[in-house]
Amino acid sequence: MRSFFKVKTAKEVLESLRTVQPLGTETVFMTDALNRILASDIVSSEDIPGFQRSTVDGYALDVRDTFGASESLPTPLVIVGEVKMGQMPDLGVKRGECALISTGGMLPQGCDGVVMVEYAQKIEETVVEISRPVSPLENVILADDDVKQGQVILHERTLLRAQDLGVLAGLGIEAVEVFRRPRAAIISTGEEIVDITEKPKPGQVRDINSYTVGGLCTGLGVMPIYLGIAGDSLEDLKVLFEKGLSQADVILLSGGSSVGAKDMTLDLFLSFADVELVAHGVSISPGKPTIIARKGNQTLWGLPGHPVSAMVIFDVFLRYLFAKLSGLANPASYYRHAVEAELDRNIESASGREDYIRVRIVTEDGKLVAKPILGKSGLISTMVEADGIVKIDMNTEGLYRGDNVKVRLF
Amino acid sequence: MRSFFKVKTAKEVLESLRTVQPLGTETVFMTDALNRILASDIVSSEDIPGFQRSTVDGYALDVRDTFGASESLPTPLVIVGEVKMGQMPDLGVKRGECALISTGGMLPQGCDGVVMVEYAQKIEETVVEISRPVSPLENVILADDDVKQGQVILHERTLLRAQDLGVLAGLGIEAVEVFRRPRAAIISTGEEIVDITEKPKPGQVRDINSYTVGGLCTGLGVMPIYLGIAGDSLEDLKVLFEKGLSQADVILLSGGSSVGAKDMTLDLFLSFADVELVAHGVSISPGKPTIIARKGNQTLWGLPGHPVSAMVIFDVFLRYLFAKLSGLANPASYYRHAVEAELDRNIESASGREDYIRVRIVTEDGKLVAKPILGKSGLISTMVEADGIVKIDMNTEGLYRGDNVKVRLF
């Protein structure tokens, strides 16, 4: 067995991934743009809404006519017509006059405010009494109140949310340039691993990691390419791996758990030209037996065979990597949401490594309590039971019952 | 203008949606099952891993042979062979013997524990000295440690996460029965609304709501069916609406903002057989001019024309509705994640309604601060600027600067 000769801290690994460049760009229609990442600034080519709009149902008028108006002494105005929705009003409103207007209607010439219908009492077919003063531009949206021409309305490297699609729609933008979604080739190895369609013989287990890792990719908008289970030999593995390298930006080789499988992964990585070893082991538990290498902008991962360990490594490193590849300005948005909870027992931790503890969250006496789940990292059921994970920092000896901890939710 | 004759509180509306039934079921492959909702319990048909496995690299042995072993007085054992990965060992281990085993390997007959390679010193080709005692079942996973045969491993109405896919894979389940994804027909109306491909004339604005509402649907796994903009007449609208009713579970009619458009929506809803009006107006701001009706298990929504209002209504009601239709046991998982932040100014609120305030979140002195964004609900740019919304309860007069508030993140 070769010892891990290049064990890195989580911080060092993240630092070495910092130089990963975003992928190329592509153009997608608005209806496919949710959660995609903008590849360029969006500058408004026009004002929105583009005309003065009423925000209420009421009467458009010259606000000066309403000064001094009150319930006891209302101001009568002559109704000269009605603003039709979606049309430029063909009526002019002079002093002493007003026009009926609906929410969203365009203010007629001569008007600089709208009185709500609640404060206007129609006393004749063409006369309305206004019972309160209206301020200039009251109940009015200006032509450039929403968006100004020339304004950068969305910045490049932004993750597009529903409201961002809305403002793009408002500008008449039907398609946007976004970064290409990362592609991740997923390969399983290990002499003990069989496909989920097979009945395992004694000593064999089904391939779990392809599906947990694939699911985590899908959840981030990364396209998983399931390449299946590699044969037992380095040659078989190499064939599948080359297929991955030709199709994907990231190769996720979910190694067998044995030392032999790990050694083969290392040999495999080093057998390719221009491969630089980033880490051979990381000081994280669970997840130590991880091998990471770079080949230009592609990264090669020898993930731990234990499902829990592989998921922790994904959480700590691959979210960050995929955020970088996706062009995201703030990789933190690709991390899981977190809640604060009170730990319900002491947890020991070896210093010199980061520990990740699975916890279940329950509400007790109106507060969130994190209950650690004990169990080996080979047991996927412990992840099914868990609601999230808690990190114990490298230079801490552990956490105490009653500590407030941050739980990253699944 | 008809007054809102059936104004409901948010609580009343949610109560009336409580009886909505989950949709039918369908079978999907594991690679498409992420975020889908299980339609039935998953019961394990076998034990996992199905055999006793080593969790470390080391030597499998009878633990009784190690009792009393220490660094100063190590116990020598004869190595009788090596366990091959993925195979049932063809060697028996007797007292005084041991077998080399890798992580994940199957324990040979006669062994009930594994000593880590770190505590085993090979002194001859076939002799190893054990320098510490091993407890029974130390470094061993039992045949049913992960999953027991007959155990309910996942409950119906659970949202499938990556780790859930993992345990299904471990059981050899290739496809699962899940609830059908809801379909939402999206229609825009309003004489002032034009398609995003058109250049608006004065008085017209482009259709924003189809894209914000469509994006919100997509984000929840709901399939949006974009039916476009209805013509100006009730007849035109009815044709499009019938198309929606024949294809979708939920019809989201994003109304024009004018009173006329609202009246037409109400007439439209009431023109269908078996339609029961749920609410004509909700005591929420922004979002009051909302019309909700049920036709059996289908729900019809006349959303406010203002983009911000429509998004608030989606957040408060449609997330819940889609959770119900999707069969989710706990609809809360379809709500947005929330963080606590300190409000940086006073906010007034009218009692008798729920207010929703858009806020930006910034970090000041290491704590999260929520900064209210002022602006009319007609302005989509205020949502682009916002990071989340804060709810002000019905019977509160407002919130104060320094208050700790819960911000639902976008």
Side-chain angles (χ1 to χ4, degrees):
Chain A
M1 179 183 65
R2 284 183 249 171
S3 61
F4 290 100
F5 61 82
K6 204 174 177 180
V7 175
K8 291 282 184 74
T9 64
K11 206 177 150 193
E12 286 168 336
V13 171
L14 291 171
E15 180 61 31
S16 73
L17 296 174
R18 216 171 47 81
T19 54
V20 169
Q21 294 303 309
L23 302 171
T25 65
E26 63 185 356
T27 300
V28 294
F29 281 104
M30 288 283 292
T31 45
D32 298 318
L34 188 79
N35 291 336
R36 299 301 300 267
I37 291 140
L38 269 186
S40 51
D41 286 351
I42 301 289
V43 179
S44 172
S45 57
E46 55 191 81
D47 291 336
I48 293 186
F51 57 93
Q52 292 194 357
R53 297 188 90 181
S54 173
T55 62
V56 295
D57 297 314
Y59 294 90
L61 40 69
D62 185 319
V63 298
R64 288 172 295 179
D65 283 340
T66 66
F67 295 165
S70 67
E71 276 187 49
S72 54
L73 202 67
T75 305
L77 293 177
V78 175
I79 308 171
V80 293
E82 180 181 350
V83 174
K84 292 208 177 67
M85 291 302 291
Q87 294 182 20
M88 171 146 36
D90 54 2
L91 36 87
V93 173
K94 290 191 281 291
R95 295 294 301 265
E97 296 177 348
C98 66
L100 191 62
I101 193 166
S102 292
T103 306
M106 180 171 178
L107 252 67
Q109 280 285 344
C111 298
D112 61 352
V114 179
V115 65
M116 284 174 78
V117 75
E118 286 86 334
Y119 304 107
Q121 177 80 32
K122 215 161 152 183
I123 53 167
E124 278 175 45
E125 191 51 38
T126 58
V127 180
V128 67
E129 282 187 346
I130 312 300
S131 60
R132 48 154 290 183
V134 180
S135 318
L137 301 179
E138 188 171 334
N139 298 323
V140 170
I141 289 176
L142 295 179
D144 63 356
D145 254 1
D146 206 353
V147 176
K148 285 178 184 45
Q149 188 181 348
Q151 182 187 345
V152 175
I153 186 72
L154 290 170
H155 290 272
E156 64 163 352
R157 295 173 168 254
T158 303
L159 181 89
L160 291 171
R161 303 166 298 165
Q163 56 266 54
D164 302 328
L165 303 185
V167 79
L168 292 170
L171 290 167
I173 295 172
E174 295 167 72
V176 281
E177 194 191 8
V178 296
F179 288 107
R180 183 165 67 68
R181 290 166 62 188
R183 284 189 281 259
I186 298 176
I187 306 172
S188 280
T189 61
E191 293 159 69
E192 75 277 27
I193 308 291
V194 299
D195 190 75
I196 61 167
T197 57
E198 283 180 50
K199 176 86 186 159
K201 299 192 194 76
Q204 297 181 327
V205 290
R206 295 192 188 89
D207 176 21
I208 288 181
N209 279 338
S210 283
Y211 300 93
T212 50
V213 169
L216 290 170
C217 285
T218 304
L220 282 183
V222 171
M223 287 183 285
I225 304 171
Y226 296 96
L227 292 181
I229 299 167
D232 293 350
S233 70
L234 183 61
E235 284 63 40
D236 288 352
L237 186 54
K238 194 159 177 166
V239 168
L240 218 50
F241 208 82
E242 277 168 348
K243 201 168 159 185
L245 278 172
S246 71
Q247 296 179 18
D249 309 297
V250 175
I251 323 289
L252 301 172
L253 178 66
S254 158
S257 48
S258 71
V259 171
K262 287 289 154 211
D263 281 352
M264 195 160 79
T265 300
L266 185 62
D267 290 340
L268 174 75
F269 285 8
L270 298 177
S271 75
F272 290 98
D274 309 315
V275 160
E276 181 203 351
L277 192 64
V278 170
H280 183 212
V282 287
S283 46
I284 280 188
S285 172
K288 187 181 177 189
T290 299
I291 304 174
I292 310 166
R294 275 186 71 169
K295 182 173 160 60
N297 208 46
Q298 288 177 303
T299 44
L300 323 182
W301 295 75
L303 295 174
H306 284 160
V308 179
S309 314
M311 287 190 78
V312 167
I313 291 296
F314 193 104
D315 219 57
V316 179
F317 300 124
L318 285 157
R319 288 181 182 274
Y320 177 80
L321 173 65
F322 287 128
K324 296 291 290 182
L325 286 170
S326 303
L328 206 56
N330 173 20
S333 18
Y334 263 27
Y335 281 90
R336 301 177 184 283
H337 282 282
V339 296
E340 297 229 322
E342 192 182 300
L343 200 62
D344 89 331
R345 46 165 286 169
N346 298 340
I347 298 276
E348 270 181 56
S349 165
S351 84
R353 70 175 194 211
E354 274 179 25
D355 272 2
Y356 286 86
I357 309 296
R358 289 145 270 170
V359 298
R360 210 153 52 80
I361 295 181
V362 296
T363 306
E364 283 178 4
D365 299 333
K367 65 181 180 213
L368 296 180
V369 174
K371 292 177 175 288
I373 293 168
L374 307 171
K376 299 175 176 112
S377 62
L379 306 182
I380 183 68
S381 55
T382 60
M383 286 300 257
V384 170
E385 215 186 314
D387 298 309
I389 53 176
V390 172
K391 170 176 155 183
I392 307 180
D393 278 333
M394 196 133 181
N395 298 314
T396 323
E397 282 168 20
L399 296 170
Y400 295 95
R401 181 194 160 107
D403 276 359
N404 232 22
V405 293
K406 195 183 250 185
V407 182
R408 275 187 355 212
L409 299 173
F410 299 142
Chain B
M1 179 180 66
R2 283 183 252 172
S3 62
F4 291 100
F5 59 83
K6 203 175 178 178
V7 175
K8 292 283 185 71
T9 63
K11 207 175 150 195
E12 286 167 337
V13 171
L14 290 171
E15 181 59 30
S16 73
L17 296 174
R18 216 171 46 83
T19 54
V20 168
Q21 295 303 309
L23 302 171
T25 65
E26 63 186 356
T27 300
V28 294
F29 281 105
M30 288 282 292
T31 46
D32 298 318
L34 188 79
N35 291 335
R36 299 301 299 268
I37 291 140
L38 270 186
S40 52
D41 286 352
I42 301 289
V43 178
S44 172
S45 57
E46 55 190 81
D47 290 336
I48 294 186
F51 57 93
Q52 292 195 356
R53 296 187 91 181
S54 174
T55 62
V56 295
D57 297 313
Y59 294 90
L61 40 71
D62 185 319
V63 298
R64 289 173 293 180
D65 283 340
T66 67
F67 295 165
S70 67
E71 276 190 48
S72 55
L73 204 66
T75 305
L77 294 176
V78 175
I79 307 170
V80 294
E82 179 180 349
V83 174
K84 292 209 176 67
M85 291 302 291
Q87 294 182 20
M88 171 145 39
D90 53 1
L91 37 87
V93 173
K94 292 190 278 292
R95 295 295 301 264
E97 295 177 348
C98 68
L100 191 60
I101 193 166
S102 292
T103 307
M106 180 172 178
L107 252 67
Q109 282 284 344
C111 298
D112 61 353
V114 179
V115 65
M116 283 175 78
V117 75
E118 286 86 334
Y119 304 106
Q121 176 81 30
K122 214 161 153 185
I123 53 166
E124 277 177 41
E125 191 52 36
T126 58
V127 180
V128 66
E129 283 188 345
I130 312 300
S131 59
R132 47 153 289 181
V134 180
S135 318
L137 300 179
E138 189 171 334
N139 298 323
V140 170
I141 290 177
L142 294 179
D144 63 356
D145 254 359
D146 207 353
V147 177
K148 285 177 186 46
Q149 189 180 349
Q151 181 188 343
V152 175
I153 185 74
L154 290 170
H155 289 272
E156 64 162 352
R157 294 173 168 254
T158 303
L159 181 90
L160 291 171
R161 303 166 298 165
Q163 56 266 53
D164 302 327
L165 303 185
V167 80
L168 292 169
L171 289 167
I173 296 173
E174 295 167 71
V176 280
E177 194 192 6
V178 296
F179 289 107
R180 183 165 69 67
R181 290 165 61 187
R183 283 189 282 260
I186 298 176
I187 306 172
S188 280
T189 61
E191 294 159 67
E192 75 277 26
I193 308 292
V194 299
D195 189 76
I196 60 166
T197 57
E198 282 182 49
K199 174 86 186 161
K201 299 194 194 74
Q204 297 181 326
V205 291
R206 294 192 188 89
D207 175 22
I208 288 181
N209 278 339
S210 284
Y211 300 93
T212 49
V213 169
L216 290 170
C217 285
T218 305
L220 281 183
V222 171
M223 287 184 286
I225 304 173
Y226 296 96
L227 292 182
I229 300 167
D232 294 350
S233 70
L234 182 61
E235 284 64 41
D236 287 352
L237 186 53
K238 196 159 177 165
V239 169
L240 217 51
F241 207 82
E242 277 168 347
K243 202 167 157 185
L245 278 172
S246 70
Q247 296 179 18
D249 310 296
V250 175
I251 323 289
L252 301 173
L253 177 66
S254 157
S257 49
S258 71
V259 171
K262 287 288 152 212
D263 281 352
M264 194 160 80
T265 300
L266 185 62
D267 290 340
L268 173 75
F269 285 8
L270 298 177
S271 75
F272 290 98
D274 309 317
V275 159
E276 180 204 350
L277 192 64
V278 170
H280 184 211
V282 287
S283 47
I284 280 189
S285 172
K288 188 182 177 190
T290 299
I291 305 174
I292 310 166
R294 275 185 72 168
K295 182 176 162 57
N297 209 44
Q298 288 178 302
T299 44
L300 323 182
W301 295 75
L303 295 174
H306 284 159
V308 179
S309 314
M311 288 189 76
V312 167
I313 292 297
F314 194 104
D315 218 58
V316 178
F317 300 123
L318 285 157
R319 287 180 184 275
Y320 177 79
L321 173 65
F322 287 128
K324 295 292 291 183
L325 286 170
S326 303
L328 207 56
N330 171 23
S333 12
Y334 264 27
Y335 281 90
R336 300 175 183 284
H337 282 282
V339 296
E340 297 229 321
E342 191 181 302
L343 201 61
D344 88 332
R345 46 164 288 169
N346 298 341
I347 299 275
E348 269 180 56
S349 165
S351 84
R353 70 174 194 212
E354 275 180 23
D355 273 1
Y356 287 86
I357 310 296
R358 289 146 271 170
V359 298
R360 211 152 51 80
I361 295 182
V362 296
T363 308
E364 284 177 5
D365 299 332
K367 66 180 178 213
L368 295 181
V369 174
K371 292 177 175 285
I373 293 168
L374 307 171
K376 301 175 174 110
S377 62
L379 306 181
I380 182 68
S381 55
T382 60
M383 286 302 257
V384 171
E385 214 186 316
D387 297 310
I389 53 176
V390 172
K391 171 176 155 183
I392 306 180
D393 278 333
M394 196 133 180
N395 298 314
T396 324
E397 283 168 19
L399 296 170
Y400 295 95
R401 180 194 160 108
D403 276 0
N404 232 22
V405 293
K406 196 183 248 185
V407 182
R408 280 200 336 224
L409 299 174
F410 299 142

